[in-house]
Amino acid sequence: SFPYTWDDVALVEEAVGVDGGGGVMAENMPWTQFDDEKKKRLIKLICKVQGKTIKEEKEVQDYKITISDIKLLAEKVLGIEVITENIKF
């Protein structure tokens, strides 16, 4: 069974830039433009994929989303490999 919802898939696609909105630098990646609510959903999904849980709202706000997190989501949720060039992990 697939443990993710269609909303999860759509969120990851948007974060990865499947619609052509990918950035060149880490600061320009699509997820950096997400509003707070969408960032919270993305962080919770990252934690779910990593087998972690967030118990406090404060932890969500302190969590820094990395390219490695988005790459992991793309692989686990979308089943695709994200290829990056000249980006440090």
XYZ file of all heavy atoms in Angstrom:
707
model
N 0.836 -1.187 0.000
C 0.000 0.000 0.000
C 0.876 1.244 0.000
O 1.954 1.264 0.579
C -0.926 -0.007 1.205
O -0.217 0.234 2.382
N 0.385 2.270 -0.618
C 1.097 3.540 -0.741
C 0.753 4.413 0.461
O -0.404 4.761 0.657
C 0.673 4.210 -2.062
C 1.525 5.370 -2.462
C 2.850 5.185 -2.843
C 1.012 6.644 -2.480
C 3.630 6.249 -3.236
C 1.788 7.724 -2.868
C 3.101 7.521 -3.247
N 1.728 4.764 1.287
C 1.446 5.472 2.543
C 1.223 6.984 2.409
O 1.046 7.669 3.406
C 2.695 5.194 3.380
C 3.782 5.054 2.377
C 3.138 4.408 1.174
N 1.222 7.511 1.183
C 1.111 8.952 0.999
C -0.191 9.305 0.293
O -0.715 8.536 -0.489
C 2.306 9.481 0.186
C 3.614 9.014 0.760
C 4.346 8.004 0.150
C 4.092 9.536 1.954
C 5.528 7.550 0.696
C 5.275 9.086 2.508
C 5.992 8.092 1.877
O 7.154 7.641 2.425
N -0.691 10.507 0.573
C -1.925 10.969 -0.054
C -1.591 11.717 -1.350
O -0.427 12.068 -1.604
C -2.687 11.929 0.882
O -1.899 13.123 1.043
C -2.950 11.299 2.247
N -2.622 11.973 -2.135
C -2.419 12.769 -3.349
C -1.950 14.174 -2.987
O -1.179 14.787 -3.729
C -3.690 12.819 -4.194
C -3.915 11.547 -4.942
C -4.915 10.643 -4.749
C -3.097 11.008 -5.996
N -4.767 9.592 -5.617
C -3.669 9.787 -6.393
C -1.940 11.446 -6.639
C -3.126 9.001 -7.406
C -1.393 10.658 -7.646
C -1.990 9.459 -8.012
N -2.406 14.692 -1.860
C -1.938 16.003 -1.400
C -0.440 15.977 -1.109
O 0.275 16.935 -1.397
C -2.703 16.451 -0.154
C -4.116 16.908 -0.463
O -4.409 17.221 -1.637
O -4.931 16.957 0.475
N 0.035 14.863 -0.532
C 1.471 14.701 -0.283
C 2.239 14.735 -1.603
O 3.259 15.414 -1.734
C 1.765 13.378 0.431
C 1.221 13.292 1.838
O 0.921 14.349 2.438
O 1.093 12.146 2.338
N 1.747 13.976 -2.570
C 2.403 13.897 -3.881
C 2.448 15.284 -4.530
O 3.495 15.710 -5.025
C 1.682 12.882 -4.796
C 2.216 12.948 -6.226
C 1.829 11.466 -4.241
N 1.330 15.996 -4.506
C 1.271 17.333 -5.116
C 2.229 18.298 -4.420
O 2.893 19.106 -5.082
C -0.159 17.863 -5.059
N 2.316 18.201 -3.100
C 3.220 19.067 -2.339
C 4.672 18.801 -2.717
O 5.451 19.729 -2.936
C 3.006 18.861 -0.837
C 3.833 19.738 0.092
C 3.458 21.212 -0.073
C 3.635 19.308 1.545
N 5.048 17.538 -2.824
C 6.424 17.194 -3.188
C 6.717 17.634 -4.619
O 7.792 18.177 -4.904
C 6.689 15.683 -3.001
C 8.070 15.314 -3.509
C 6.549 15.302 -1.531
N 5.762 17.423 -5.524
C 5.966 17.871 -6.904
C 6.205 19.373 -6.962
O 7.064 19.845 -7.690
C 4.763 17.498 -7.774
C 4.712 16.038 -8.123
C 3.529 15.685 -9.000
O 2.553 16.471 -9.093
O 3.571 14.598 -9.606
N 5.443 20.108 -6.183
C 5.615 21.555 -6.148
C 6.969 21.931 -5.545
O 7.654 22.834 -6.031
C 4.483 22.202 -5.347
C 4.456 23.695 -5.440
C 3.267 24.322 -4.737
O 2.336 23.604 -4.318
O 3.283 25.550 -4.590
N 7.379 21.232 -4.484
C 8.663 21.517 -3.836
C 9.841 21.208 -4.752
O 10.837 21.934 -4.770
C 8.792 20.717 -2.537
N 9.721 20.138 -5.525
C 10.792 19.734 -6.433
C 10.837 20.650 -7.649
O 11.884 20.837 -8.248
C 10.596 18.259 -6.868
C 11.543 17.862 -7.973
C 10.774 17.339 -5.672
N 9.703 21.218 -8.005
C 9.645 22.062 -9.187
C 9.311 21.265 -10.426
O 9.783 21.581 -11.511
N 8.502 20.214 -10.267
C 8.119 19.358 -11.389
C 7.442 20.179 -12.482
O 7.535 19.879 -13.656
C 7.200 18.201 -10.918
C 6.609 17.450 -12.082
C 7.995 17.262 -10.027
N 6.796 21.267 -12.109
C 6.099 22.111 -13.075
C 7.042 23.067 -13.814
O 6.614 23.966 -14.507
C 5.000 22.912 -12.376
C 5.555 23.891 -11.344
O 6.760 23.859 -11.062
O 4.761 24.682 -10.821
N 8.345 22.849 -13.649
C 9.316 23.706 -14.316
C 9.769 24.879 -13.462
O 10.509 25.733 -13.914
N 9.340 24.908 -12.197
C 9.677 26.028 -11.332
C 10.919 25.814 -10.501
O 11.099 26.471 -9.496
N 11.785 24.873 -10.873
C 12.990 24.602 -10.093
C 13.942 25.783 -10.106
O 13.995 26.550 -11.057
N 14.689 25.924 -9.050
C 15.641 27.030 -8.952
C 17.047 26.560 -9.250
O 17.308 25.380 -9.395
N 17.937 27.503 -9.361
C 19.328 27.186 -9.639
C 20.122 27.086 -8.341
O 20.905 26.186 -8.147
C 19.960 28.251 -10.562
C 21.427 27.970 -10.787
C 19.214 28.300 -11.884
N 19.896 27.999 -7.444
C 20.578 28.006 -6.158
C 19.624 27.494 -5.090
O 18.409 27.590 -5.240
C 21.012 29.426 -5.791
C 21.933 30.082 -6.800
S 23.564 29.355 -6.816
C 24.165 29.889 -5.234
N 20.152 26.979 -4.008
C 19.319 26.448 -2.927
C 18.323 27.488 -2.433
O 17.187 27.159 -2.126
C 20.201 25.962 -1.777
N 18.726 28.752 -2.395
C 17.846 29.811 -1.898
C 16.683 30.086 -2.850
O 15.709 30.717 -2.492
C 18.620 31.124 -1.688
C 19.792 31.016 -0.750
C 21.057 30.496 -1.436
O 21.306 30.807 -2.622
O 21.798 29.752 -0.788
N 16.800 29.656 -4.098
C 15.776 29.924 -5.105
C 14.870 28.732 -5.362
O 14.050 28.779 -6.272
C 16.440 30.319 -6.437
C 17.246 31.589 -6.314
O 16.933 32.452 -5.505
N 18.284 31.701 -7.097
N 15.038 27.671 -4.616
C 14.231 26.471 -4.854
C 12.775 26.752 -4.483
O 12.498 27.578 -3.607
C 14.789 25.292 -4.057
C 16.199 24.907 -4.474
S 16.384 24.546 -6.239
C 15.549 22.994 -6.358
N 11.840 26.067 -5.132
C 10.419 26.363 -4.936
C 9.954 26.348 -3.484
O 9.149 27.189 -3.084
C 9.722 25.282 -5.753
C 10.702 24.916 -6.817
C 12.045 25.055 -6.159
N 10.445 25.405 -2.674
C 9.953 25.319 -1.296
C 10.331 26.534 -0.452
O 9.722 26.803 0.559
C 10.393 24.026 -0.623
C 11.831 24.021 -0.201
C 12.344 24.517 0.969
C 12.950 23.537 -0.932
N 13.708 24.360 0.997
C 14.109 23.751 -0.163
C 13.102 22.919 -2.169
C 15.373 23.379 -0.586
C 14.354 22.553 -2.582
C 15.466 22.779 -1.806
N 11.334 27.290 -0.858
C 11.711 28.473 -0.088
C 10.660 29.577 -0.193
O 10.669 30.502 0.605
C 13.081 29.033 -0.527
O 13.002 29.452 -1.894
C 14.177 27.993 -0.360
N 9.778 29.457 -1.172
C 8.716 30.449 -1.368
C 7.392 30.030 -0.726
O 6.404 30.741 -0.816
C 8.499 30.682 -2.872
C 9.754 31.048 -3.626
C 10.458 32.273 -3.069
O 9.817 33.269 -2.756
N 11.771 32.198 -2.923
N 7.349 28.855 -0.113
C 6.110 28.359 0.503
C 5.706 29.238 1.679
O 6.563 29.732 2.420
C 6.301 26.929 1.017
C 6.292 25.872 -0.051
C 6.154 26.160 -1.386
C 6.433 24.542 0.302
C 6.145 25.176 -2.354
C 6.416 23.540 -0.656
C 6.275 23.860 -1.986
N 4.395 29.383 1.866
C 3.905 30.071 3.056
C 4.107 29.155 4.268
O 4.460 27.987 4.126
C 2.440 30.495 2.900
C 1.482 29.327 2.721
O 1.716 28.229 3.283
O 0.476 29.508 2.022
N 3.889 29.683 5.465
C 4.174 28.935 6.690
C 3.396 27.621 6.769
O 3.944 26.601 7.185
C 3.868 29.782 7.924
C 4.892 30.885 8.133
O 5.984 30.818 7.527
O 4.607 31.811 8.914
N 2.144 27.631 6.380
C 1.320 26.427 6.468
C 1.846 25.324 5.545
O 1.944 24.164 5.922
C -0.143 26.749 6.131
C -1.092 25.617 6.450
C -1.066 25.194 7.925
O -0.943 26.057 8.805
O -1.159 23.976 8.177
N 2.219 25.706 4.339
C 2.740 24.731 3.381
C 4.102 24.200 3.839
O 4.400 23.021 3.692
C 2.850 25.372 2.001
C 2.896 24.360 0.876
C 2.932 25.034 -0.470
C 1.534 25.387 -0.894
N 1.495 25.855 -2.302
N 4.924 25.074 4.442
C 6.217 24.633 4.967
C 6.018 23.621 6.095
O 6.731 22.624 6.180
C 7.037 25.816 5.486
C 7.709 26.600 4.396
C 8.548 27.728 4.962
C 9.134 28.564 3.856
N 9.858 29.724 4.356
N 5.033 23.872 6.954
C 4.744 22.928 8.047
C 4.352 21.572 7.489
O 4.806 20.532 7.983
C 3.626 23.470 8.936
C 4.042 24.607 9.818
C 2.862 25.109 10.628
C 3.172 26.408 11.326
N 2.025 26.948 12.040
N 3.500 21.562 6.466
C 3.091 20.294 5.852
C 4.296 19.572 5.257
O 4.439 18.357 5.383
C 2.045 20.537 4.763
C 0.676 20.907 5.300
C -0.371 21.146 4.225
N -0.277 20.237 3.106
C -0.429 20.615 1.826
N -0.679 21.869 1.523
N -0.339 19.718 0.862
N 5.188 20.329 4.600
C 6.373 19.744 3.986
C 7.304 19.162 5.049
O 7.800 18.048 4.906
C 7.100 20.801 3.154
C 8.277 20.306 2.318
C 7.822 19.310 1.260
C 8.981 21.476 1.651
N 7.515 19.886 6.135
C 8.381 19.413 7.216
C 7.811 18.144 7.847
O 8.537 17.183 8.097
C 8.589 20.515 8.263
C 9.456 21.632 7.669
C 9.226 19.960 9.538
C 9.457 22.914 8.460
N 6.502 18.120 8.075
C 5.880 16.924 8.645
C 6.030 15.733 7.708
O 6.263 14.604 8.154
C 4.417 17.191 8.963
C 4.257 18.100 10.170
C 2.810 18.421 10.454
C 2.711 19.383 11.629
N 1.330 19.755 11.942
N 5.935 15.966 6.403
C 6.107 14.884 5.435
C 7.557 14.404 5.410
O 7.823 13.195 5.349
C 5.668 15.351 4.045
C 5.688 14.303 2.947
C 4.834 13.083 3.310
C 5.219 14.903 1.633
N 8.507 15.335 5.490
C 9.927 14.959 5.556
C 10.168 14.070 6.770
O 10.816 13.030 6.681
C 10.831 16.212 5.614
C 10.806 16.960 4.278
C 12.274 15.839 6.000
C 11.406 18.356 4.336
N 9.624 14.470 7.895
C 9.789 13.682 9.121
C 9.134 12.308 8.981
O 9.687 11.301 9.433
C 9.212 14.425 10.315
S 10.200 15.875 10.764
N 7.979 12.243 8.358
C 7.293 10.967 8.148
C 8.165 10.027 7.308
O 8.341 8.861 7.645
C 5.955 11.212 7.444
C 5.172 9.954 7.148
C 3.848 10.296 6.490
C 3.059 9.058 6.136
N 1.769 9.403 5.486
N 8.756 10.554 6.242
C 9.613 9.749 5.375
C 10.858 9.288 6.132
O 11.334 8.171 5.946
C 9.998 10.538 4.103
C 11.115 9.868 3.340
C 8.774 10.712 3.210
N 11.368 10.136 7.007
C 12.563 9.802 7.789
C 12.246 8.958 9.017
O 13.143 8.568 9.748
C 13.281 11.077 8.221
C 13.868 11.868 7.079
C 14.490 13.176 7.533
O 14.236 13.673 8.628
N 15.308 13.753 6.675
N 10.963 8.688 9.257
C 10.564 7.894 10.414
C 10.592 8.664 11.713
O 10.679 8.080 12.793
N 10.516 9.987 11.641
C 10.539 10.842 12.828
C 9.161 11.458 13.036
O 8.342 11.484 12.135
C 11.547 11.980 12.657
C 12.968 11.527 12.419
C 13.853 12.711 12.153
C 15.258 12.300 11.772
N 16.082 13.449 11.389
N 8.948 11.985 14.215
C 7.731 12.750 14.481
C 8.112 14.058 15.151
O 9.135 14.147 15.828
C 6.747 11.992 15.403
O 7.422 11.661 16.621
C 6.226 10.733 14.753
N 7.276 15.067 14.959
C 7.480 16.356 15.609
C 6.429 16.473 16.697
O 5.245 16.336 16.431
C 7.364 17.507 14.601
C 8.512 17.429 13.607
C 7.354 18.844 15.314
C 8.506 18.518 12.569
N 6.875 16.728 17.907
C 5.952 16.782 19.032
C 5.572 18.201 19.417
O 4.563 18.412 20.043
C 6.550 16.058 20.235
C 6.743 14.582 19.970
C 7.303 13.870 21.158
C 7.500 12.406 20.807
N 8.003 11.630 21.881
N 6.389 19.167 19.037
C 6.119 20.541 19.423
C 6.129 21.450 18.206
O 6.916 21.255 17.291
C 7.183 21.041 20.407
C 7.168 20.333 21.736
C 8.211 20.897 22.681
O 8.584 22.069 22.529
O 8.645 20.157 23.561
N 5.247 22.426 18.226
C 5.174 23.392 17.123
C 6.490 24.149 16.956
O 6.884 24.474 15.859
C 4.025 24.360 17.381
C 3.646 25.183 16.182
C 3.037 24.357 15.062
O 2.421 23.319 15.338
O 3.196 24.758 13.896
N 7.183 24.401 18.060
C 8.450 25.128 18.016
C 9.456 24.398 17.120
O 10.199 25.012 16.379
C 9.010 25.283 19.424
C 10.324 26.033 19.481
C 10.806 26.140 20.900
C 12.170 26.785 20.948
N 12.783 26.705 22.246
N 9.474 23.070 17.202
C 10.407 22.297 16.397
C 10.156 22.501 14.910
O 11.093 22.536 14.126
C 10.307 20.810 16.737
C 10.843 20.460 18.098
C 10.759 18.983 18.369
O 11.201 18.197 17.515
O 10.245 18.603 19.417
N 8.914 22.628 14.506
C 8.581 22.836 13.101
C 9.196 24.132 12.606
O 9.799 24.184 11.548
C 7.048 22.847 12.886
C 6.698 23.284 11.476
C 6.456 21.480 13.161
N 9.078 25.190 13.383
C 9.605 26.482 12.962
C 11.123 26.511 12.951
O 11.722 27.268 12.196
C 9.040 27.581 13.846
C 7.545 27.742 13.641
C 6.968 28.886 14.443
O 7.676 29.582 15.150
N 5.678 29.083 14.328
N 11.771 25.697 13.760
C 13.228 25.658 13.813
C 13.836 24.712 12.775
O 15.040 24.699 12.595
C 13.702 25.224 15.209
C 13.399 26.270 16.261
O 13.192 27.444 15.897
O 13.346 25.912 17.446
N 13.025 23.949 12.098
C 13.506 22.953 11.138
C 13.925 23.638 9.843
O 13.180 24.432 9.285
C 12.389 21.946 10.846
C 12.857 20.705 10.134
C 13.156 19.555 10.842
C 12.992 20.672 8.754
C 13.579 18.411 10.196
C 13.416 19.536 8.106
C 13.707 18.404 8.818
O 14.127 17.275 8.174
N 15.116 23.350 9.377
C 15.598 23.914 8.121
C 15.469 22.860 7.031
O 16.020 21.772 7.138
C 17.056 24.355 8.256
C 17.586 24.981 6.999
C 18.990 25.487 7.172
C 19.435 26.068 5.840
N 20.768 26.570 5.865
N 14.729 23.179 5.988
C 14.538 22.266 4.865
C 15.771 22.344 3.978
O 16.206 23.425 3.598
C 13.283 22.638 4.062
C 12.043 22.567 4.956
C 13.125 21.715 2.857
C 10.798 23.157 4.331
N 16.334 21.178 3.636
C 17.523 21.138 2.794
C 17.200 20.476 1.463
O 16.169 19.824 1.300
C 18.653 20.332 3.478
O 18.237 18.964 3.587
C 18.987 20.899 4.847
N 18.092 20.638 0.537
C 17.938 19.990 -0.763
C 17.921 18.475 -0.582
O 17.176 17.764 -1.252
C 19.061 20.427 -1.722
C 18.882 21.912 -2.037
C 19.066 19.599 -2.985
C 20.015 22.531 -2.788
N 18.710 17.980 0.354
C 18.724 16.537 0.623
C 17.359 16.049 1.080
O 16.928 14.950 0.702
C 19.767 16.200 1.690
O 21.051 16.515 1.250
N 16.656 16.852 1.885
C 15.301 16.498 2.322
C 14.363 16.384 1.130
O 13.587 15.436 1.021
C 14.741 17.547 3.289
C 15.479 17.606 4.615
O 16.005 16.567 5.065
O 15.526 18.697 5.201
N 14.426 17.352 0.233
C 13.542 17.367 -0.927
C 13.882 16.205 -1.857
O 13.000 15.544 -2.410
C 13.640 18.719 -1.666
C 13.259 19.873 -0.730
C 12.782 18.714 -2.922
C 11.865 19.790 -0.126
N 15.165 15.927 -2.009
C 15.595 14.810 -2.846
C 15.061 13.495 -2.282
O 14.557 12.643 -3.020
C 17.121 14.798 -2.921
C 17.679 13.826 -3.903
C 19.185 13.980 -4.037
C 19.728 12.993 -5.025
N 21.150 13.075 -5.214
N 15.133 13.325 -0.970
C 14.613 12.125 -0.315
C 13.108 11.997 -0.542
O 12.606 10.919 -0.860
C 14.920 12.155 1.186
C 14.342 11.011 2.015
C 14.986 9.679 1.617
C 14.548 11.271 3.492
N 12.369 13.106 -0.397
C 10.927 13.071 -0.636
C 10.616 12.667 -2.070
O 9.714 11.865 -2.317
C 10.301 14.437 -0.357
C 10.115 14.839 1.089
C 9.491 16.218 1.169
C 9.250 13.844 1.831
N 11.346 13.227 -3.017
C 11.113 12.909 -4.422
C 11.321 11.416 -4.675
O 10.536 10.781 -5.384
C 12.031 13.731 -5.322
N 12.347 10.857 -4.076
C 12.630 9.438 -4.261
C 11.572 8.555 -3.597
O 11.098 7.587 -4.193
C 14.019 9.103 -3.722
C 15.136 9.718 -4.546
C 16.514 9.578 -3.923
O 16.636 9.051 -2.803
O 17.476 10.033 -4.562
N 11.176 8.900 -2.376
C 10.237 8.057 -1.622
C 8.788 8.263 -2.032
O 8.031 7.308 -2.151
C 10.378 8.310 -0.117
C 11.730 7.982 0.451
C 11.977 6.497 0.440
C 13.305 6.189 1.121
N 13.612 4.794 1.136
N 8.384 9.514 -2.229
C 6.976 9.811 -2.502
C 6.664 9.748 -3.993
O 5.657 9.181 -4.402
C 6.575 11.186 -1.923
C 5.136 11.527 -2.250
C 6.782 11.205 -0.404
N 7.541 10.317 -4.817
C 7.281 10.370 -6.247
C 7.915 9.216 -7.015
O 7.540 8.957 -8.148
C 7.791 11.687 -6.841
C 7.237 12.975 -6.226
C 7.878 14.179 -6.888
C 5.723 13.014 -6.358
N 8.901 8.570 -6.397
C 9.586 7.472 -7.078
C 10.495 7.962 -8.193
O 10.732 7.252 -9.165
N 11.009 9.195 -8.066
C 11.916 9.733 -9.079
C 13.229 10.137 -8.429
O 13.294 10.395 -7.238
C 11.313 10.958 -9.809
C 11.068 12.127 -8.844
C 10.050 10.583 -10.555
C 10.677 13.420 -9.521
N 14.266 10.175 -9.249
C 15.559 10.623 -8.765
C 15.766 12.063 -9.220
O 15.599 12.381 -10.399
C 16.681 9.753 -9.329
C 18.047 10.158 -8.838
C 19.154 9.274 -9.388
O 18.867 8.294 -10.075
O 20.318 9.600 -9.126
N 16.082 12.927 -8.283
C 16.357 14.319 -8.603
C 17.858 14.454 -8.797
O 18.644 14.097 -7.920
C 15.873 15.254 -7.477
C 16.261 16.695 -7.771
C 14.381 15.126 -7.278
N 18.238 14.965 -9.945
C 19.656 15.156 -10.239
C 19.996 16.619 -10.025
O 19.322 17.504 -10.551
C 19.988 14.732 -11.679
C 19.665 13.236 -11.853
C 21.427 15.054 -12.023
C 19.807 12.742 -13.261
N 21.008 16.846 -9.215
C 21.443 18.212 -8.938
C 22.882 18.380 -9.378
O 23.669 17.436 -9.333
C 21.332 18.531 -7.438
O 22.076 17.551 -6.698
C 19.886 18.489 -6.972
N 23.205 19.580 -9.803
C 24.566 19.874 -10.218
C 25.074 21.079 -9.440
O 24.342 22.041 -9.237
C 24.602 20.198 -11.707
C 24.207 19.027 -12.573
C 24.247 19.366 -14.057
O 24.651 20.486 -14.400
O 23.834 18.511 -14.849
N 26.297 20.996 -9.008
C 26.968 22.112 -8.334
C 26.234 22.588 -7.092
O 26.186 23.768 -6.802
C 27.159 23.291 -9.296
C 27.997 22.903 -10.493
O 28.940 22.134 -10.370
N 27.636 23.417 -11.640
N 25.610 21.656 -6.374
C 24.918 22.001 -5.133
C 25.497 21.138 -4.022
O 25.584 19.930 -4.157
C 23.404 21.776 -5.246
C 22.814 22.670 -6.333
C 22.723 22.047 -3.902
C 21.338 22.474 -6.571
N 25.902 21.765 -2.925
C 26.422 21.024 -1.774
C 25.284 20.444 -0.960
O 24.260 21.077 -0.781
C 27.233 21.950 -0.887
C 28.590 22.272 -1.393
C 29.283 23.120 -0.373
C 30.754 22.903 -0.420
N 31.452 23.696 0.586
N 25.501 19.264 -0.427
C 24.511 18.619 0.448
C 25.030 18.603 1.849
O 26.122 18.403 2.159
C 24.204 17.190 0.003
C 23.409 17.152 -1.248
C 24.002 16.933 -2.467
C 22.049 17.342 -1.212
C 23.276 16.884 -3.616
C 21.288 17.295 -2.357
C 21.900 17.064 -3.565
